[in-house]
Amino acid sequence: MGTRFPDLDIYRGFKSPGRFEADIFEAEVDGELPAELSGSYYRVGPDPQFPPRLRDDIFFNGDGMISMFRIDGGHADFRQRYIRTDKFVAERAARRALFGAYRNPYTDDPSVAGMIRGTGNTNLVYHADKFLALKEDSPPVALDPHTLTTEGNWDFHGALTSKTFTAHP
């Protein structure tokens, strides 16, 4: 039994699931990067690891995938990782989608009832020495900004008392 996404427009073109994590050391560059340029560029977006539970869904319900381009001394490296949200970890263990339609917990598998459904796929912020992946239907997810390793849900040392947080601060 393999993993196949439905043959629908929402899984074609730029919305096609990439489903890969990668490290590219010394990426090829057209032209030259200035030696004095040093820093990291991050991007985050949806990339479902499994076909949806209900055949189709909206693009924004995909699992969070973070990419980092690290530039230093005229060199560029690339790293890409899934954000290990509670949703991602549960579905990875089950080897299938367990969460249903976007923002509709009534369509979820009963085994994940009450679990945080967030994907961390909307925005990234660095705040108070924490690098956070955001989705407005869940708490922020802390990441290591160098390795992109998921550190876990972040509640601002207990100050976040709601179940959700903004993705667009």
Side-chain angles (χ1 to χ4, degrees):
M1 180 171 124
T3 299
R4 290 228 185 260
F5 281 78
D7 186 21
L8 299 170
D9 285 341
I10 61 169
Y11 304 112
R12 292 189 199 120
F14 79 91
K15 295 178 282 185
S16 294
R19 302 178 63 223
F20 74 93
E21 297 179 297
D23 288 296
I24 300 173
F25 182 78
E26 197 60 42
E28 291 183 36
V29 176
D30 288 336
E32 287 188 36
L33 294 169
E36 61 275 5
L37 184 62
S38 180
S40 296
Y41 171 79
Y42 300 94
R43 66 181 181 186
V44 68
D47 191 356
Q49 71 171 320
F50 293 108
R53 184 170 156 77
L54 303 174
R55 180 156 165 77
D56 69 350
D57 202 350
I58 67 170
F59 178 66
F60 294 112
N61 206 20
D63 296 289
M65 180 70 83
I66 182 171
S67 304
M68 173 182 68
F69 293 90
R70 175 74 184 131
I71 300 169
D72 189 46
H75 303 275
D77 301 322
F78 174 80
R79 176 167 284 158
Q80 182 165 286
R81 296 287 185 271
Y82 272 113
I83 298 169
R84 267 51 180 186
T85 61
D86 296 352
K87 173 189 179 297
F88 179 93
V89 171
E91 290 182 336
R92 177 62 60 100
R95 292 184 167 263
R96 65 184 177 91
L98 298 172
F99 294 81
Y102 184 67
R103 295 192 180 177
N104 185 347
Y106 299 106
T107 61
D108 294 351
D109 186 277
S111 68
V112 296
M115 188 177 287
I116 296 172
R117 308 175 88 246
T119 58
N121 71 13
T122 305
N123 201 358
L124 299 165
V125 296
Y126 195 81
H127 175 73
D129 293 325
K130 286 290 181 184
F131 187 48
L132 304 171
L134 308 177
K135 177 78 173 162
E136 55 274 306
D137 62 356
S138 55
V141 179
L143 307 170
D144 181 292
H146 305 289
T147 65
L148 305 184
T149 302
T150 302
E151 296 173 351
N153 295 322
W154 181 247
D155 68 0
F156 300 90
H157 303 290
L160 179 66
T161 57
S162 72
K163 293 182 179 183
T164 62
F165 189 73
T166 186
H168 307 281

